[in-house]
Amino acid sequence: MQFRLRFTLEAQATLALLEQNEPKKYRKVLKTLGLMETNLRHPSLNTHKYQSITGPNGEEVFEAYVESKTPAAFRVFWHYGPHKEVITILAITPHP
């Protein structure tokens, strides 16, 4: 299933900062987002439900890996919606 990505202001700001300051990490995030658009079950994403937070309207939040086996590895936090075939990117952040 093909998804369209929608970004919160926080996620957009993080992407802009990564593009300016960490181009290598920025390219990794873009690769992850591209996989999310086309195949959420891609093994490298390690997508799974994130129990500690919910979306702004109580949505289930999921985590996808940008990196692994790296200190402060980046993750993408997202939820389905607000419409069918849309994913909202809540945050792009180092692993808490």
Side-chain angles (χ1 to χ4, degrees), residues 51-75:
Q51 304 287 340
S52 301
I53 57 174
T54 60
N57 297 313
E59 300 93 344
E60 293 181 328
V61 173
F62 296 86
E63 175 184 24
Y65 286 28
V66 174
E67 303 169 306
S68 62
K69 299 179 184 174
T70 302
F74 264 58
R75 303 288 192 255

Side-chain angles (χ1 to χ4, degrees), residues 30-67:
L30 290 183
K31 180 180 177 184
T32 298
L33 295 173
L35 287 171
M36 291 174 66
E37 284 180 316
T38 58
N39 182 8
L40 277 174
R41 295 180 187 263
H42 191 281
S44 70
L45 295 175
N46 290 309
T47 302
H48 59 276
K49 189 174 172 182
Y50 197 74
Q51 304 287 340
S52 301
I53 57 174
T54 60
N57 297 313
E59 300 93 344
E60 293 181 328
V61 173
F62 296 86
E63 175 184 24
Y65 286 28
V66 174
E67 303 169 306

Side-chain angles (χ1 to χ4, degrees), residues 7 11-20 26 29-30 33 92:
F7 295 84
Q12 288 176 347
T14 302
L15 266 180
L17 283 174
L18 286 174
E19 184 177 18
Q20 291 176 354
Y26 176 73
V29 170
L30 290 183
L33 295 173
I92 302 166

